[in-house]
Amino acid sequence: MPPKLCALCSKERAILRRPKTGQQICKDCFFYVFETEVHNTITEAKLFRPGDRVAIGASGGKDSTVLAYVMKTLNDRYKYGLELFLLSIDEGITGYRDDSLETVKRNQQQYNLPLKILSYDELYGWTMDRIVEKIGRKNNCTFCGVFRRQALDRGAASLNVDHIVTGHNADDIAETVLMNIMRGDIARLGRCTLICTQGEDTIRRSKPFKYAYEKEIVMYAYFKKLDYFSTECIYSPDAYRGHARMFLKDLEAARPSAIIDIIHSGEAFEIKEEVKQAAKAQRKTLFFFDPTASAKGILERCKRCGYISSNDLCKACVLLEGLERGMPTMSIKEKERSRLEVGYGPSEMRTLPKFELPAVLANAADPLPKGLREN
């Protein structure tokens, strides 16, 4: 039986089946359709403007490595006019992040892009290894997620960039939709599928891989022979997201389009105004952070570090104070938080430096492209 030809070009032998569509295609056609789909996602959402300074969140993993390669390729091919940077956060996880950062440093040389590395130890005075020693593995992802978000913004500010792109893919977004449903967090369904989030006084974040399947990202990295780090975080196996991931994989096996279908379902949700208001009050109480809330006028500034916050103290300052006092669970338990807001504590307690927006945003008359402004 003769080899099957590519379903797209009908010339070369098909060597792979796309998980997303089921098409049997050749390697060159796969590269072309993958890159073109990402390009279409970028242009249809109007993510960039010529002259934008864009930081690529680089962890050394498959998603961020492919993102850096594709962003550089598309920027050159389609003349986006972007100034690209690599931005890495060192959480201080021995045997994981130290090794992955070596991959990022090689990527810097391979792609010829400037690299900025900001560590938890440098910013917070704590590493994740030390935090896990204090609190165990039950709430470690809470600390890491909050600290990482602010570290990315602070790293971006130090690079004077006005946009951060991350390697979140279609699987990640579908998992988030499922997690919000399983937790009953209906209000978040209206924003968890947004491709870009920014208020008037925050750094834009976007996900060019919003519709890219994780399996196809792995295939792209494999066939392009990209240099990436494949080990998972040693503290993540117990994370709640893992349950959503396993469920999604079962759905995908039965119906490959399930990933995109879930994303489209999340996009189609319309949240009633009373639910939005209830969620706003809940975030105020529970210190949750909504990346789009600033544009809706419900976020202010942390009185201690100046970072965006819906309370007197931002979540990072609350968590850091709990660690500094030797009472890390205080910052997680709701009934104990009021003690942190009054501002007393050890005089030698470490605090975060003042957060300042990048100059490109602080001086911009209109920091957000028209197509991405909140209604």
Side-chain angles (χ1 to χ4, degrees), residues 277-288:
Q277 293 302 318
K280 172 183 172 181
Q282 183 186 44
R283 285 195 301 273
K284 185 83 173 172
T285 302
L286 300 182
F287 285 73
F288 287 159

Side-chain angles (χ1 to χ4, degrees), residues 268-285:
F269 270 107
E270 293 185 8
I271 310 301
K272 291 183 178 180
E273 189 60 33
E274 53 265 35
V275 177
K276 292 180 181 179
Q277 293 302 318
K280 172 183 172 181
Q282 183 186 44
R283 285 195 301 273
K284 185 83 173 172
T285 302

Side-chain angles (χ1 to χ4, degrees), residues 300-318:
E300 298 179 355
R301 294 280 177 183
C302 174
K303 292 183 178 179
R304 183 173 292 169
C305 75
Y307 190 70
I308 43 182
S309 175
S310 57
N311 296 273
D312 288 343
L313 296 182
C314 70
K315 182 67 173 177
C317 281
V318 171

Side-chain angles (χ1 to χ4, degrees), residues 182-197:
M182 290 189 290
R183 290 187 299 209
D185 196 348
I186 303 301
R188 289 196 176 194
L189 287 173
R191 63 183 185 272
C192 69
T193 57
L194 292 175
I195 191 170
C196 184
T197 55

Side-chain angles (χ1 to χ4, degrees), residues 122-123 150 154 304-306 350-356:
E122 173 187 352
L123 181 58
Q150 188 164 152
R154 288 177 178 272
R304 183 173 292 169
C305 75
R350 183 185 179 99
T351 58
L352 290 169
K354 208 71 174 175
F355 176 75
E356 299 290 344

Side-chain angles (χ1 to χ4, degrees), residues 200-246:
E200 294 177 357
D201 55 355
T202 59
I203 299 172
R204 222 182 320 160
R205 288 170 181 255
S206 63
K207 311 177 189 75
F209 283 173
K210 177 180 176 179
Y211 299 113
Y213 276 32
E214 182 179 49
K215 287 180 179 177
E216 296 201 353
I217 292 172
V218 173
M219 292 168 66
Y220 187 93
Y222 173 78
F223 286 113
K224 282 286 187 180
K225 295 182 171 56
L226 300 184
D227 183 5
Y228 68 93
F229 185 77
S230 58
T231 302
E232 292 291 329
C233 174
I234 60 176
Y235 298 135
S236 68
D238 299 324
Y240 183 64
R241 179 174 289 273
H243 300 291
R245 180 174 295 121
M246 292 177 63

Side-chain angles (χ1 to χ4, degrees), residues 126-136 143 147 323:
W126 289 79
T127 65
M128 278 309 300
D129 285 342
R130 287 184 59 208
I131 292 172
V132 171
E133 284 181 8
K134 289 285 185 182
I135 67 170
F143 281 82
F147 283 178
L323 289 170

